[in-house]
Amino acid sequence: MSSRFDLDAAPDTATDTAYMMAAINWGRRNLGATAPNPAVGCVIVRDGVIIGRGATQAGGRPHAETEAIRDAGEAARGATLYVSLEPCSHHGVTSPCADAIVAAGLARVVSAIEDPARRVAGRGHAKLVEAGIALRTGIAAGAARRLTLGHILRVTEGRPMVTLKLAETADGYAAGGEHDPRLMITGAAVNNRVHVMRAMHDAIMVGVGTVLADDPLMTVRLPGLEGRKPLRIVLDTHLRTPLASRLAATAGDWPTLAIAGEGASADAEAALVAKGVRVERAPLDAAGHVDLSAALRLLGKLGLTRVFSEGGPTVAGQLIERGLADEIVICTALKPLGRPGVPMLDPASRAALADEKRYVPLDDGLLGTDRVRHFERRS
């Protein structure tokens, strides 16, 4: 799809797509580190060679375009710039990227998608065209939207995107019986991949039931990723997170947030705050639990764009049935539990996931000895 600003009479779509995918993949390297800004990727190409690369840096500044222009230097003049999201056009902490592109003398820009943020929303593209730069839009738009979905949802719906990760035995259980020890369902390859996925999100979220049952640490524990510290979030209506839990005990070293109901104990809040846990309040749903939509809107106001949910079946079912799980990763072991346990999902949630009007299957394959399936919410 080309925009009304397209000035290129005969674009090479295959070539433009290849370079745009390079830009998107370069932007992915900083997913989980750029909030509240989106992770954007950019490459500059001259005579068939990439001469500059940039990704939005940690904390959201500098932007990808200015990083790529800096990398290319004077060679950027007359070249083509590929960027996964419309360049910004407003003055904020830094000058607009659209102005930097014009000043660098770029001859052509290929931009994957328009930025829906009200301060941009086509103005960046218009500024480039006004400066005489040839513009093409819509290349690899689906992949760019996946990269930027958290930003898009935050500015359009007020919430971050949610990736839901689930693990189940071959016969569909997430846990054993009430007094069974914690199940180690997946193998090393999937477990390592989960740590990578954690690092690619701003926050890791569970329900308090998972905290009480498993006492998780919810950190990124892979060599080279020690600096990634996603916010740890517990949906904890009545503030039942134990003070002796690993989450509370390590709250001084890893940022931790409990989202409680409006009527939760002030004493329990004070005790958690003393351990370093931040506590926020949210309205309750009809069942008397923290309302998930309200909790996600709260996280959006806090600047989060990407949340990785590793909660149990209750939270997972609500996310799926209410259309709040934007991406779903299901990791299935080859071995069954072989006895009654806790189902990973209830029948209604499984039916919703199987409904291709609601969720679209993307990938299905093996990682190590485990089957991994990937779904996305149909927008």
Side-chain angles (χ1 to χ4, degrees):
M1 181 188 299
S2 296
S3 77
R4 64 187 184 277
F5 299 124
D6 192 350
L7 302 181
D8 191 340
D12 181 342
T13 297
T15 298
D16 280 349
T17 300
Y19 286 127
M20 183 61 75
M21 289 306 300
I24 289 169
N25 289 332
W26 196 254
R28 281 176 56 85
R29 61 195 287 118
N30 281 345
L31 275 175
T34 65
N37 289 346
V40 177
C42 180
V43 299
I44 297 175
V45 178
R46 188 183 189 97
D47 298 327
V49 176
I50 293 177
I51 59 171
R53 287 182 288 198
T56 306
Q57 296 300 292
R61 293 283 193 279
H63 286 182
E65 298 95 320
T66 55
E67 286 290 283
I69 290 169
R70 179 189 59 78
D71 191 35
E74 284 299 316
R77 191 165 300 278
T80 296
L81 180 144
Y82 293 83
V83 64
S84 60
L85 181 68
E86 177 184 7
C88 64
S89 56
H90 58 280
H91 286 270
V93 177
T94 58
S95 299
C97 288
D99 289 355
I101 291 170
V102 173
L106 272 299
R108 180 171 180 258
V109 169
V110 182
S111 173
I113 56 176
E114 184 175 292
D115 188 339
R118 286 182 295 178
R119 294 188 297 177
V120 188
R123 295 180 183 87
H125 288 159
K127 182 173 284 192
L128 298 177
V129 173
E130 290 167 3
I133 295 174
L135 175 71
R136 189 180 193 195
T137 64
I139 297 296
R145 187 178 186 278
R146 290 187 186 98
L147 175 68
T148 319
L149 182 59
H151 167 73
I152 293 172
L153 290 176
R154 182 169 176 261
V155 300
T156 59
E157 298 184 17
R159 71 168 180 92
M161 69 85 67
V162 176
T163 300
L164 172 63
K165 189 275 295 183
L166 298 167
E168 64 175 352
T169 59
D171 45 359
Y173 293 111
E178 182 179 355
H179 301 294
D180 284 2
R182 179 181 178 183
L183 286 182
M184 303 302 292
I185 295 175
T186 52
V190 165
N191 294 342
N192 287 339
R193 177 59 184 162
V194 167
H195 282 278
V196 172
M197 288 190 287
R198 287 177 177 179
M200 296 173 73
H201 290 76
D202 309 328
I204 304 165
M205 182 175 73
V206 300
V208 70
T210 297
V211 175
L212 295 173
D214 298 337
D215 193 21
L217 191 54
M218 295 165 58
T219 58
V220 178
R221 301 186 296 278
L222 282 181
L225 293 177
E226 295 86 356
R228 294 292 179 97
K229 292 189 174 183
L231 176 66
R232 304 180 302 179
I233 301 168
V234 183
L235 301 170
D236 190 357
T237 303
H238 303 293
L239 290 179
R240 294 187 293 150
T241 297
L243 298 180
S245 66
R246 295 202 291 174
L247 284 178
T250 59
D253 297 315
W254 281 278
T256 307
L257 169 68
I259 302 180
E262 293 168 339
S265 163
D267 290 341
E269 176 177 348
L272 285 171
V273 169
K275 299 285 286 186
V277 177
R278 177 175 179 174
V279 177
E280 296 284 349
R281 306 276 179 150
L284 303 182
D285 60 19
H289 302 130
V290 166
D291 182 83
L292 270 176
S293 294
L296 291 175
R297 288 193 298 272
L298 168 64
L299 298 179
K301 290 179 180 178
L302 295 178
L304 273 67
T305 62
R306 294 173 55 83
V307 172
F308 189 61
S309 177
E310 295 189 77
T314 300
V315 171
Q318 289 186 48
L319 288 171
I320 291 173
E321 292 180 47
R322 296 176 63 175
L324 297 173
D326 303 294
E327 294 187 11
I328 301 172
V329 179
I330 299 178
C331 308
T332 305
L334 295 182
K335 293 183 178 180
L337 179 62
R339 60 184 185 278
V342 178
M344 182 190 73
L345 291 173
D346 59 34
S349 300
R350 286 194 183 273
L353 187 58
D355 183 355
E356 291 198 15
K357 294 179 180 178
R358 300 180 66 179
Y359 289 96
V360 181
L362 295 181
D363 301 310
D364 186 344
L366 289 177
L367 182 55
T369 59
D370 301 308
R371 180 187 182 190
V372 178
R373 288 170 289 163
H374 186 191
F375 302 80
E376 72 175 3
R377 179 177 59 83
R378 189 180 290 279
S379 58

